[in-house]
Amino acid sequence: MNIGLTGGIATGKSTVSSMLTRKGALLVDADVIAREVMLPGHPVLAEVAAYFGQDIIQADGQLDRKKLGEIIFHDEKKRQALNEITHPAIRREIRKQMMDYEAAYPDRLVVVDIPLLYESELQSLFEKIIVVYVPREIQLHRLMERDNITKERAEARLNSQMDIEQKKQLADEVIDNSGTLEKTSDQVDELWKRLFRS
């Protein structure tokens, strides 16, 4: 079974995905794939640099993520342009990894962690979609603490994604990660049982 795992920035998707992998799920991580297509020498990075300018490339050939982030979090058109360059390559790799896992491990649960699952309209790839949820105020607070950024910057990042309440409404399953790790773990246990009952 393939399930999509999503949420918002700083809602705790990695926490939940690691709990699922400890139970035996196989993980396809869109963030890892997104980083790989931005490595020196990858054609996607070359295309991004051609569009945004060589300023976003550091002396060692690596992408300057902070610089690119500052550009796209404040400019909807440029964010869209970046997505149009990167998303097709990321989607191809997600599909490939899913198919490879399905062929090699037909009885295992495959969890695909995609932060922008709904924004990218990838729902049709999955049998179920799980949203890792925290209320926006907690999300904002965690993001400011995690990335050591101002409220204004954190708001800009949250505003660049679909609202977490909207994602919660669209979900097949919701894991509320606003409490303790133990409470989140209990919900993951219950979810695991439901997935294997159906």
Side-chain angles (χ1 to χ4, degrees):
M1 181 192 291
N2 290 317
I3 60 171
L5 181 73
T6 193
I9 307 171
T11 57
K13 291 180 303 300
S14 302
T15 300
V16 172
S17 66
S18 66
M19 287 176 179
L20 288 165
T21 53
R22 281 200 297 273
K23 287 183 159 297
L26 299 163
L27 180 66
V28 176
D29 190 329
D31 274 347
V32 170
I33 294 168
R35 282 195 288 276
E36 286 168 355
V37 303
M38 291 297 207
L39 289 173
H42 199 289
V44 171
L45 178 60
E47 204 177 328
V48 169
Y51 182 90
F52 289 94
Q54 289 302 316
D55 282 0
I56 63 158
I57 305 295
Q58 298 172 148
D60 62 359
Q62 298 281 341
L63 173 69
D64 188 330
R65 293 186 172 278
K66 273 198 171 150
K67 205 170 268 187
L68 181 61
E70 286 303 311
I71 296 167
I72 63 160
F73 283 125
H74 296 96
D75 188 323
E76 177 66 36
K77 277 190 177 160
K78 286 185 176 165
R79 184 164 66 246
Q80 203 58 48
L82 178 68
N83 291 344
E84 282 168 16
I85 296 168
T86 59
H87 284 187
I90 295 167
R91 271 189 214 120
R92 275 194 302 277
E93 185 57 28
I94 286 170
R95 283 197 182 95
K96 180 188 178 301
Q97 288 187 22
M98 280 169 60
M99 286 165 69
D100 289 351
Y101 275 151
E102 279 182 296
Y105 309 99
D107 299 327
R108 298 275 291 277
L109 178 70
V110 179
V111 176
V112 187
D113 181 342
I114 307 180
L116 301 178
L117 190 152
Y118 289 117
E119 292 89 335
S120 305
E121 298 180 353
L122 297 175
Q123 298 94 306
S124 63
L125 291 179
F126 308 105
E127 288 160 67
K128 280 188 186 296
I129 295 171
I130 301 161
V131 166
V132 182
Y133 170 83
V134 300
R136 188 181 167 100
E137 313 80 69
I138 294 176
Q139 192 184 6
L140 187 66
H141 179 71
R142 286 183 183 173
L143 179 57
M144 286 164 66
E145 285 215 327
R146 187 191 77 184
D147 292 2
N148 194 25
I149 56 174
T150 62
K151 186 175 182 183
E152 185 187 45
R153 281 188 174 185
E155 290 273 12
R157 290 195 186 180
L158 294 190
N159 292 338
S160 74
Q161 295 188 349
M162 183 189 286
D163 184 72
I164 192 66
E165 297 298 334
Q166 200 177 344
K167 290 184 180 185
K168 183 183 179 184
Q169 293 300 316
L170 293 168
D172 296 308
E173 299 278 354
V174 176
I175 300 285
D176 186 328
N177 190 36
S178 54
T180 62
L181 271 179
E182 191 181 12
K183 282 184 177 166
T184 301
S185 181
D186 289 346
Q187 292 173 74
V188 170
D189 288 346
E190 282 303 312
L191 171 69
W192 189 265
K193 286 175 196 162
R194 282 198 302 279
L195 289 174
F196 287 98
R197 267 203 305 267
S198 57

